[in-house]
Amino acid sequence: MAQYENNAWFWQKVDTLFLSSGFCLTRKKGDVHPVFANLIYPTDYGYVKDTNSVSGNGVSVYAGSLSRNTITALVVAADILAKELDVKILIGCTNEEVEDVLRFLNQTDYQKTVLIRRGKDIPSWGMTDN
């Protein structure tokens, strides 16, 4: 698994974006995808209100069984059919739920994802003089 250098300041911005906007639930765990009947949502799913995304519905959120105020990770998806890169937020997900979401998002050869787990370190390039 690739390692990503995490920046606590970056996660602070993601937290602010998420917590200041709110979460709108659109699909419950176990619901069938509205377009692809073979896809079953592994967690609750929705979007961050008042945000922009490539889908036009706000930044996607997969919500697990833990605290819905804690961002677990981000997923970046590359979709060659839609010709887009899309960021998805995972909140309150256990390790098993993270794996379930990754399996759900990587079911086709047209979309693949990478997981960026949350870290607490501030790398030297993340420090500012301001």
Side-chain angles (χ1 to χ4, degrees), residues 7 23 25 44 73 86 115:
N7 181 332
F23 169 59
L25 178 68
D44 288 348
D86 191 17
L115 177 72

Side-chain angles (χ1 to χ4, degrees), residues 67-83:
S67 171
R68 298 246 166 130
N69 291 324
T70 303
I71 296 175
T72 308
L74 298 177
V75 172
V76 179
D79 186 329
I80 60 171
L81 285 181
K83 296 186 177 184

Side-chain angles (χ1 to χ4, degrees), residues 16-126:
T16 300
L17 179 100
F18 176 70
L19 294 171
S20 67
S21 298
F23 169 59
C24 182
L25 178 68
T26 59
R27 305 269 186 276
K28 299 288 283 171
K29 178 180 179 176
D31 282 355
V32 175
H33 190 281
V35 177
F36 304 104
N38 63 317
L39 299 179
I40 308 297
Y41 284 89
T43 66
D44 288 348
Y45 172 81
Y47 62 92
V48 181
K49 295 177 187 174
D50 301 321
T51 58
N52 298 314
S53 72
V54 294
S55 68
N57 296 326
V59 176
S60 295
V61 175
Y62 289 86
S65 58
L66 303 175
S67 171
R68 298 246 166 130
N69 291 324
T70 303
I71 296 175
T72 308
L74 298 177
V75 172
V76 179
D79 186 329
I80 60 171
L81 285 181
K83 296 186 177 184
E84 66 188 24
L85 293 173
D86 191 17
V87 177
K88 297 150 187 333
I89 299 174
L90 278 60
I91 60 171
C93 289
T94 64
N95 286 336
E96 183 179 335
E97 289 167 332
V98 169
E99 293 296 320
D100 290 344
V101 169
L102 290 173
R103 236 182 324 282
F104 174 77
L105 292 171
N106 286 281
Q107 288 184 54
T108 75
D109 289 334
Y110 303 109
Q111 175 176 281
K112 295 301 175 191
T113 66
V114 293
L115 177 72
I116 303 173
R117 290 192 187 272
R118 186 179 191 127
K120 295 179 180 158
D121 297 334
I122 302 174
S124 60
W125 54 262

